[in-house]
Amino acid sequence: MPTALITGATAGIGAAFARRLAADGFSLVLVSRDAARLEETAAGLTLRYGVPARALPADLAREQDLARVADRLREGIDLLVNNAGFALSGSFTEVSADEEARMLRVHCEAVLRLTLAAVPWMRSRGRGGVINVGSVAGFFPNGTYSATKAWVATFSASAGAELAGSGVRVMALCPGFVRTEFHQRVGMDTSGIPDHLWLDADRVARTAMRDLALGKLISIPTLRYKAIAACARLVPPALAARLAARVDH
């Protein structure tokens, strides 16, 4: 039975990955800060799909917790999904430096260190995969959240290219707006976002698994978001920043 470790596994895209992988027969290691919710999620997956699901409570912004998750990965894992993340309310000039640094730690340092912890075991067996959850926001210059997601995409594509031929695949998943708790947690008003821009979390997870199997370095669900990402690469940065700010507000 293959094993997957998923961070941010209790809601949204992380929970969708957990359902998909459990249905595919994966044993699961689920990581989240909310220990009670994590235990409930693990028990529910075991009951529904009949697969082992272990809860590993951890705050990836804390060194000791991050090190503990990395230690578990070094024991061996077939698929790592780095999904944990959050957004901050306000521009970078309005948010404390400590909170900005915490975001960098979860979105960038944790992704780097957990990927590095997982890959050696995978390489020794000639198989395995890492999915790092980024965002289409990473293609737009729009604050520190976008900056961290740009790093996720660049790092993942670079790591995936470097590991080509080893049997280990690394891919960035860059969705657009997904119907999850994410926006409510940060207090973002989403009423002005058109319905056609919203994605379903289960479909996003399904697309990611398909694209990983195809060996893609960047997975962008749906043609409309592929077009949006392509446009972001072509327009001047100042215009891209103005477009992103209009969507956010």
Side-chain angles (χ1 to χ4, degrees), residues 5-238:
L5 186 146
I6 307 166
T7 70
T10 57
I13 295 173
F17 269 110
R19 291 190 295 270
R20 169 59 192 258
L21 294 170
D24 286 346
F26 277 74
S27 170
L28 301 176
V29 180
L30 307 178
V31 178
S32 178
R33 289 189 301 162
D34 189 334
R37 190 175 183 184
L38 195 62
E39 291 285 357
E40 181 182 356
T41 299
L45 290 166
T46 296
L47 181 63
R48 180 175 179 181
Y49 298 101
V51 298
R54 175 194 171 193
L56 181 57
D59 180 349
L60 298 180
R62 299 177 59 193
E63 172 59 32
Q64 59 269 40
D65 286 8
L66 179 57
R68 188 155 44 86
V69 178
D71 286 343
R72 172 60 188 87
L73 288 167
R74 293 187 188 97
E75 295 173 11
I77 214 83
D78 298 281
L79 177 65
L80 166 63
V81 180
N82 277 313
N83 169 71
F86 60 95
L88 299 171
S89 180
S91 72
F92 83 98
T93 59
E94 300 168 338
V95 177
S96 73
D98 287 344
E99 282 300 299
E100 295 283 11
R102 182 170 178 268
M103 176 183 285
L104 285 169
R105 189 160 170 77
V106 173
H107 289 191
C108 300
E109 183 182 351
V111 168
L112 173 65
R113 288 176 58 179
L114 296 184
T115 300
L116 289 173
V119 164
W121 187 90
M122 295 178 182
R123 289 189 75 175
S124 71
R125 284 151 181 80
R127 58 179 170 81
V130 178
I131 298 175
N132 296 322
V133 179
S135 171
V136 164
F139 300 111
F140 292 87
N142 188 34
T144 48
Y145 177 84
S146 293
T148 63
K149 294 305 185 180
W151 183 91
V152 168
T154 301
F155 165 69
S156 301
S158 174
E162 185 173 334
L163 290 166
S166 70
V168 181
R169 294 173 176 177
V170 179
M171 182 187 79
L173 169 62
C174 300
F177 293 107
V178 183
R179 294 197 184 277
T180 68
E181 303 172 2
F182 180 87
H183 303 95
Q184 287 72 30
R185 286 179 178 177
V186 75
M188 179 179 174
D189 180 10
T190 60
S191 59
I193 299 172
D195 286 343
H196 69 270
L197 288 181
W198 287 103
L199 303 176
D200 173 73
D202 290 301
R203 181 182 178 185
V204 169
R206 184 167 63 250
T207 299
M209 294 303 297
R210 180 202 66 197
D211 287 349
L212 184 69
L214 291 172
K216 292 188 178 182
L217 299 178
I218 304 286
S219 172
I220 303 175
T222 75
L223 288 174
R224 71 181 70 97
Y225 275 113
K226 286 180 172 66
I228 289 170
C231 289
R233 294 186 180 104
L234 295 173
V235 302

